[in-house]
Amino acid sequence: MSTAIISDVHGNAAALRAVLDDIDTHPEVDRIVCLGDIIGYGPDPIECVSLVEQRCTWSLMGNHDFGVLYEPTNFNQAAEQAAYWTREQFDAITDPAEQRRIYDFLNRLRVRIVETANGLASGKPLLAVHGSPRKPVNEYIFPDDALNAPDKLRALFDLVEGVCFVGHTHVPGVFTDEPDFYPPDEVGENQTYRFSDDERAIINVGSVGQPRDGDPRASYVILDEDSVRFHRVEYDVQATAGKIRSIAPLTDWLADRLLEGR
């Protein structure tokens, strides 16, 4: 069976629902997991947390989840305002049981998961983090690190025994231990990357709710025992952008970037 891996929902319920609907058209998928940043930026934090709780086998904690729960340190002004607004939405829930369920779920999010019985043909372990193997919550792995920071990538690959899945940058693609980076349209036929027994890989699954690779469609992957395939899903971007613009603490810039996929 297969695993659908999502990340960086960022409070965008329309995108999340579209992705979940698309996953449901793939009968081979028997579970969904999430790499974090369920909330932050977007207008539907409560619905997104509820959907991830209901549909995902497990979820990790991203830096925005952490920022809403604790303190949004090192955030730009738009992200900081969005974090405080998101917390206000949770605090305004009038049903004590629902509010407790939301906070309990967020507080249980882990920062790192390693699976050994993951179904990979190679038998190698699967590592899942939000940011990087070195700093699971906050460190970015950028596509140009393969060219501009090869020592950084080598240090990260020292912590990867098999395959590592990440989010955080919102840019999908595959890092190999050459080191190199391949966007989805360069990884293979049908945007499918096939694992090699003698090669390690760090795979960014992209973002459900705020893609930043110039394509506004929601992104996720499906993991099989010997490959991973990138998927893009259309949703009503204009509707989500309109909801953001209607909420004063969420800056219009957050809506504009959705339309441009940046």
Side-chain angles (χ1 to χ4, degrees):
M1 300 300 284
S2 303
T3 299
I5 306 178
I6 66 174
S7 188
D8 296 278
V9 177
H10 283 292
N12 188 337
L16 178 57
R17 288 193 302 268
V19 164
L20 293 174
D21 287 346
D22 192 74
I23 291 171
D24 288 341
T25 69
H26 295 274
E28 73 276 15
V29 173
D30 64 346
R31 68 169 185 162
I32 307 169
V33 301
C34 177
L35 304 183
D37 272 3
I38 305 167
I39 51 180
Y41 294 137
D44 308 301
I46 295 172
E47 182 176 358
C48 288
V49 171
S50 296
L51 283 170
V52 169
E53 181 184 21
Q54 293 164 14
R55 296 296 307 274
C56 293
T57 301
W58 49 257
S59 179
L60 299 177
M61 178 175 287
N63 58 311
H64 284 261
D65 307 316
F66 184 92
V68 171
L69 276 176
Y70 302 105
E71 198 66 27
T73 55
N74 299 318
F75 280 19
N76 61 43
Q77 185 176 4
E80 181 179 288
Q81 289 177 190
Y84 287 129
W85 176 84
T86 298
R87 187 186 300 168
E88 289 172 0
Q89 306 317 296
F90 296 149
D91 290 344
I93 295 173
T94 57
D95 182 347
E98 181 185 7
Q99 186 184 75
R100 183 167 57 251
R101 176 182 61 79
I102 293 285
Y103 275 124
D104 285 350
F105 174 76
L106 292 172
N107 275 298
R108 290 195 307 270
L109 298 179
R110 296 164 63 182
V111 300
R112 181 177 185 271
I113 287 180
V114 178
E115 294 186 342
T116 52
N118 53 67
L120 292 181
S122 66
K124 293 180 178 178
L126 184 156
L127 170 63
V129 294
H130 178 69
S132 83
R134 183 167 57 184
K135 297 179 181 179
V137 175
N138 289 310
E139 185 173 29
Y140 292 94
I141 311 176
F142 294 107
D144 60 5
D145 284 343
L147 179 64
N148 298 329
D151 290 344
K152 170 185 172 181
L153 277 186
R154 278 190 284 270
L156 295 178
F157 270 105
D158 284 343
L159 303 174
V160 177
E161 185 178 344
V163 179
C164 176
F165 286 89
V166 303
H168 199 33
T169 66
H170 304 199
V171 179
V174 177
F175 295 90
T176 63
D177 55 5
E178 294 168 305
D180 213 335
F181 175 80
Y182 301 93
D185 59 359
E186 295 181 13
V187 299
E189 186 178 0
N190 296 321
Q191 300 197 347
T192 300
Y193 178 78
R194 300 199 175 277
F195 302 127
S196 171
D197 288 345
D198 60 353
E199 183 180 59
R200 294 164 293 163
I202 297 175
I203 297 168
N204 193 306
V205 306
S207 171
V208 169
Q210 195 187 87
R212 294 181 186 168
D213 61 341
D215 184 343
R217 294 176 299 168
S219 176
Y220 78 98
V221 305
I222 292 179
L223 169 67
D224 298 312
E225 66 174 10
D226 62 354
S227 66
V228 62
R229 181 174 179 178
F230 292 86
H231 293 261
R232 299 307 284 251
V233 181
E234 293 185 357
Y235 74 98
D236 193 340
V237 182
Q238 289 283 0
T240 298
K243 291 181 74 171
I244 290 173
R245 292 192 179 101
S246 72
I247 300 168
L250 303 182
T251 67
D252 288 353
W253 173 69
L254 296 176
D256 295 340
R257 71 187 313 182
L258 281 184
L259 301 172
E260 300 172 10
R262 63 174 173 87

